[in-house]
Amino acid sequence: MKLPFVQPKMMGDMIRRQIRAVLYRDLVSTTAELAQSTGISFPTISKTLDEMNNQGEVVLTGLGASSGGRRPKQYRLNADHMTGLAVALEKDYSSYALLNYVGEVIGREKLPGVLHDGPERLTEQIGTFVQRYPHLRALTLGVPGAVNNGRVFHIPDYEKFKNFDFKALYEERFSLRVQVENDMNATVLGYHDRSGDDQNRSLVYLYLGQNGPGAGIMVNGDVVRGSSFFSGEVSFLPLYDSQNFSQAVQEPPSAQDGTERRAKLIDAMSRLVAVFTATLNPHTVLFCSTDLTERDLADVRKGSASYVPADNLPSLLVRDWEEDYFHGLNQLTIRTMLGLGID
Amino acid sequence: MKLPFVQPKMMGDMIRRQIRAVLYRDLVSTTAELAQSTGISFPTISKTLDEMNNQGEVVLTGLGASSGGRRPKQYRLNADHMTGLAVALEKDYSSYALLNYVGEVIGREKLPGVLHDGPERLTEQIGTFVQRYPHLRALTLGVPGAVNNGRVFHIPDYEKFKNFDFKALYEERFSLRVQVENDMNATVLGYHDRSGDDQNRSLVYLYLGQNGPGAGIMVNGDVVRGSSFFSGEVSFLPLYDSQNFSQAVQEPPSAQDGTERRAKLIDAMSRLVAVFTATLNPHTVLFCSTDLTERDLADVRKGSASYVPADNLPSLLVRDWEEDYFHGLNQLTIRTMLGLGID
DNA sequence: CCAACTTATTAAAGTTCTTTAATTACTTTC
DNA sequence: GAAAGTAATTAAAGAACTTTAATAAGTTGG
């Protein structure tokens, strides 16, 4: 019984968002094309585009090709209108990506990790970017921990960040739009965006990280956070009589045959796939290239078919985790800049 | 990057929906109250309400109490404006509920089951209702099988209904708005509505039916259908070295101690709860009173805490399955009547 | 190079909402 | 039981969109 409703007051705002979204997607567009793909009438598009041009949000790049009539003005987003910063906080490094208003990465830096040191170091690092880039307006932080509305409240091994409210602090201090996201959630979002696939898909992105395995889950196009932000903590899955997923995957203390160990890993993964198939029945399950090879994947595919009917299995893919993760953070940042966030 | 957008053309329609939704919720309301709770200006509400009154969709029930001024006109939905039919197709019976425009059950019938006989019997049964109730406009069918857009495409044991397109046939034949939903999906929806809880919750509704166990899953307030409509088929969950959920729950062929059997059931259930907690981390997991007692539930609660940290466990509840199921079907019907469906 | 044709842009008129004002219908109080 | 007060309803003015018409700017072909 949810009724999303747009009051006339918000129309102007909505129209701008639509324009931004299309301009971001198509890079360059004309009034007629925008009217076409947004469904908004061309006089309105024209008027709004004028305003956006005056405010420096879009720029006129010239005239388009003609097919027998007056040549149309072409607009695109002004790359310099705003810049955003996407930060991945990992144990060993902080990865910073600077993004312009059209979504291009205009700078990338890896600085020392701050998770052990504490928030002060992070604030310093961010501060330098704020100084260097006066158009900085959006900041996205990816963290390996549970996040609720900009505050980290469960981050094992990095006690100094526990209960640290990134959003409150940095919005105040730097006057930026700040959002914080769990790393696997950002990753699954990143894949979803890169895949270009239809909206509303269900995905599971699995990572056997250093801090124990975890999964990012997306259902019907939305990230699943869980009632206590515990979603995707697959290490606890009771998949064997006396072992959970984590224990099955972990290297056993006793010397063990390599092939046997591999078989165990494959089976655990197969069961994991079966678990998701028999619950969410997702379209795709993603693995990290650091965790599994293509050959492993084939075996997992076979293995999981012994647990659930093969017709219902998701497609399994091996991915570069870092790429998807960074892309997810970038994506979140750009959406914020363009005003297309969740709000 | 989804942008729900309301064009001015659809405003009128949206306004009516808002009014219906509030009127359904509050039963009776005045112009001022409607303007208040919808956020729409009172002249617009007034005008729309007039139209709806002329068309017989709402009725004027009198004047409200005054607090020192002119007494306000009170409107409510016209119960007779439309009627809907919610049907649960089970093996042993077909349960029919007739609903008026304010959501009241104005008739209930249990007719013989039709699943074994085939679609003709069902068409007959429905036909009698169509004849008897000229205001019938909406039909909802609940079926124990996988459904895709009004067509059943996987319904074990009831071959005659396989690939039967309820929606196409009955919309044509009876000119009704028809929707078909899987039984467990309708059930979880029914609970969600009855609970009155906040939107956007994640729920799992478990049922150890005759046709093998199944679950209805809701994430962030949306029913999860899965890529091949296989979601919730928890019987396949590999929870033990050499048994899946279904096998663990099933009565073993050998004579076995009753308490031992119970312990096994409890453990399987505990693991199931653990599986959902470590993946979706739902707010609540529901069980059927036919499957589990309150005492069992306490043991499950304890048991699952041995698999995942207790803080993250969902609340566990025992429910009357049929009640929630029927309520879910009714709810779907009413939403369709009021134009609040998914569309 | 100009007439005929296309297409973009600008302008005007029409809808439909909101906001504000005026009127009407009650209540309350003296 | 008026007069004063309060709240609902109706009416008028304003805002922001769409639709339709008019105009401007190019193309193309003889």
Side-chain angles (χ1 to χ4, degrees):
Chain A
M1 288 276 180
K2 39 196 155 185
L3 286 180
F5 190 61
V6 180
Q7 314 270 85
K9 292 181 222 166
M10 298 149 68
M11 284 285 273
D13 210 50
M14 279 298 180
I15 286 164
R16 287 186 172 226
R17 284 194 212 185
Q18 299 255 107
I19 292 177
R20 282 189 212 112
V22 174
L23 241 26
Y24 175 72
R25 192 190 61 194
D26 298 346
L27 297 181
V28 46
S29 198
T30 68
T31 319
E33 286 166 358
L34 281 163
Q36 173 67 28
S37 45
T38 57
I40 298 164
S41 72
F42 62 85
T44 303
I45 295 281
S46 177
K47 176 169 150 282
T48 310
L49 225 35
D50 269 4
E51 290 169 13
M52 290 169 86
N53 192 12
N54 291 336
Q55 293 163 14
E57 186 170 355
V58 300
V59 288
L60 206 138
T61 58
L63 301 178
S66 163
S67 50
R70 178 171 174 174
R71 299 175 60 194
K73 292 183 195 162
Q74 290 187 310
Y75 292 89
R76 51 180 300 162
L77 292 172
N78 178 7
D80 301 326
H81 184 245
M82 215 185 257
T83 118
L85 184 59
V87 189
L89 299 179
E90 289 287 305
K91 194 176 90 181
D92 303 320
Y93 61 83
S94 308
S95 163
Y96 289 85
L98 279 152
L99 301 156
N100 66 17
Y101 201 58
V102 298
E104 292 162 348
V105 176
I106 55 173
R108 200 180 266 297
E109 270 183 58
K110 280 212 175 182
L111 299 181
V114 298
L115 288 173
H116 280 303
D117 301 334
E120 295 77 19
R121 289 297 310 278
L122 175 64
T123 307
E124 270 174 44
Q125 289 185 354
I126 292 175
T128 67
F129 285 97
V130 172
Q131 288 201 321
R132 266 190 284 162
Y133 295 89
H135 285 84
L136 198 61
R137 294 286 176 278
L139 170 66
T140 308
L141 295 157
V143 297
V147 181
N148 184 6
N149 191 28
R151 196 173 60 83
V152 173
F153 69 95
H154 179 70
I155 182 163
D157 306 329
Y158 310 116
E159 279 303 315
K160 289 187 178 153
F161 278 93
K162 181 153 182 181
N163 286 318
F164 184 62
D165 192 336
F166 294 95
K167 190 175 162 76
L169 185 65
Y170 294 145
E171 291 204 333
E172 226 283 291
R173 161 107 54 134
F174 299 124
S175 49
L176 299 171
R177 292 181 222 157
V178 177
Q179 64 188 322
V180 192
E181 185 57 281
N182 166 268
D183 54 353
M184 290 313 298
N185 287 349
T187 306
V188 72
L189 215 139
Y191 169 78
H192 179 247
D193 185 80
R194 294 184 83 192
S195 76
D197 273 339
D198 195 16
Q199 224 80 293
N200 288 37
R201 291 179 90 73
S202 299
L203 306 171
V204 175
Y205 207 118
L206 187 76
Y207 182 43
L208 310 180
Q210 316 99 307
N211 325 327
I217 302 173
M218 181 172 257
V219 171
N220 295 338
D222 291 326
V223 168
V224 178
R225 298 207 154 71
S227 67
S228 58
F229 303 89
F230 190 73
S231 70
E233 294 293 339
V234 292
S235 47
F236 295 96
L237 285 174
L239 299 181
Y240 298 92
D241 286 358
S242 51
Q243 280 192 314
N244 63 25
F245 178 73
S246 177
Q247 292 159 341
V249 165
Q250 226 145 67
E251 190 148 3
S254 72
Q256 203 177 2
D257 189 342
T259 62
E260 192 180 326
R261 236 189 65 214
R262 178 169 178 279
K264 202 144 184 222
L265 177 74
I266 299 291
D267 185 61
M269 290 294 207
S270 305
R271 283 169 181 251
L272 191 76
V273 171
V275 161
F276 279 110
T277 305
T279 52
L280 297 181
N281 182 217
H283 296 78
T284 313
V285 174
L286 295 317
F287 300 90
C288 303
S289 49
T290 50
D291 297 334
L292 246 60
T293 67
E294 284 289 347
R295 228 190 92 228
D296 294 335
L297 204 66
D299 290 343
V300 170
R301 207 172 279 125
K302 215 178 299 169
S304 48
S306 71
Y307 296 113
V308 294
D311 285 350
N312 303 301
L313 285 173
S315 34
L316 307 181
L317 292 176
V318 170
R319 303 280 305 178
D320 183 315
W321 175 73
E322 222 177 42
E323 275 183 24
D324 288 333
Y325 180 27
F326 290 177
H327 183 82
L329 293 175
N330 293 353
Q331 206 50 38
L332 284 167
T333 312
I334 292 159
R335 285 189 202 176
T336 310
M337 283 200 285
L338 297 179
L340 307 176
I342 314 100
D343 327 0
Chain B
M1 287 279 180
K2 38 195 157 188
L3 285 181
F5 189 61
V6 179
Q7 313 271 85
K9 292 179 218 167
M10 299 149 65
M11 284 285 273
D13 209 51
M14 280 296 180
I15 287 164
R16 285 186 174 225
R17 285 195 209 183
Q18 300 255 107
I19 292 177
R20 284 190 210 109
V22 174
L23 240 29
Y24 174 73
R25 191 191 61 195
D26 297 347
L27 297 181
V28 46
S29 199
T30 68
T31 319
E33 285 166 359
L34 280 164
Q36 172 68 26
S37 45
T38 58
I40 298 165
S41 71
F42 62 86
T44 302
I45 295 281
S46 178
K47 176 169 152 281
T48 309
L49 225 36
D50 270 4
E51 291 168 13
M52 291 169 85
N53 192 13
N54 290 335
Q55 293 162 16
E57 186 170 353
V58 301
V59 289
L60 206 137
T61 58
L63 301 178
S66 164
S67 48
R70 178 171 175 174
R71 297 175 61 194
K73 294 182 192 162
Q74 290 188 311
Y75 292 89
R76 51 180 300 161
L77 291 173
N78 178 7
D80 301 326
H81 184 245
M82 217 184 256
T83 118
L85 183 59
V87 189
L89 300 179
E90 288 286 306
K91 195 175 89 180
D92 302 320
Y93 62 83
S94 308
S95 164
Y96 289 84
L98 279 151
L99 301 156
N100 65 17
Y101 201 57
V102 299
E104 291 162 350
V105 176
I106 56 173
R108 199 182 266 297
E109 273 184 55
K110 280 214 176 181
L111 299 181
V114 298
L115 289 174
H116 280 303
D117 301 333
E120 295 76 20
R121 290 297 310 279
L122 176 63
T123 308
E124 270 173 45
Q125 288 185 355
I126 293 176
T128 66
F129 286 99
V130 171
Q131 288 200 323
R132 266 189 285 163
Y133 295 89
H135 285 83
L136 197 61
R137 294 285 176 279
L139 170 66
T140 308
L141 295 157
V143 296
V147 180
N148 184 8
N149 192 29
R151 195 173 61 82
V152 172
F153 68 96
H154 179 70
I155 181 162
D157 305 330
Y158 311 116
E159 279 303 314
K160 288 186 179 155
F161 278 94
K162 181 154 182 181
N163 285 318
F164 184 62
D165 193 335
F166 295 95
K167 190 176 163 76
L169 184 66
Y170 293 146
E171 291 205 333
E172 225 286 290
R173 160 106 55 132
F174 300 123
S175 51
L176 299 171
R177 291 181 223 158
V178 177
Q179 64 188 322
V180 191
E181 185 57 280
N182 165 270
D183 54 353
M184 289 314 297
N185 287 348
T187 307
V188 71
L189 214 139
Y191 169 77
H192 179 246
D193 184 80
R194 294 183 85 192
S195 76
D197 271 339
D198 194 17
Q199 223 78 294
N200 287 36
R201 292 178 89 74
S202 300
L203 306 171
V204 175
Y205 207 118
L206 187 76
Y207 181 44
L208 309 180
Q210 317 99 308
N211 324 326
I217 302 173
M218 182 172 256
V219 171
N220 296 339
D222 292 326
V223 169
V224 178
R225 298 205 153 72
S227 67
S228 57
F229 302 90
F230 191 73
S231 69
E233 293 294 337
V234 292
S235 46
F236 295 95
L237 284 174
L239 298 181
Y240 297 92
D241 287 358
S242 52
Q243 280 193 315
N244 63 26
F245 179 72
S246 177
Q247 291 159 342
V249 165
Q250 226 145 66
E251 191 147 1
S254 72
Q256 203 178 3
D257 189 343
T259 61
E260 193 181 327
R261 237 189 64 215
R262 178 171 179 276
K264 202 144 183 225
L265 177 73
I266 299 291
D267 185 60
M269 290 294 207
S270 305
R271 283 169 181 252
L272 191 77
V273 170
V275 161
F276 279 110
T277 306
T279 52
L280 297 180
N281 182 216
H283 296 77
T284 312
V285 174
L286 294 317
F287 300 90
C288 302
S289 47
T290 49
D291 297 332
L292 246 59
T293 67
E294 284 288 349
R295 225 189 94 228
D296 295 334
L297 204 67
D299 290 342
V300 170
R301 206 172 278 124
K302 216 178 297 168
S304 48
S306 72
Y307 297 114
V308 295
D311 286 349
N312 304 300
L313 285 173
S315 32
L316 307 181
L317 292 177
V318 170
R319 304 280 305 178
D320 183 314
W321 175 73
E322 221 177 44
E323 275 183 26
D324 287 332
Y325 181 26
F326 290 178
H327 183 82
L329 292 175
N330 293 353
Q331 206 49 39
L332 284 167
T333 312
I334 292 159
R335 285 188 203 179
T336 309
M337 285 199 284
L338 297 179
L340 306 177
I342 314 98
D343 330 359

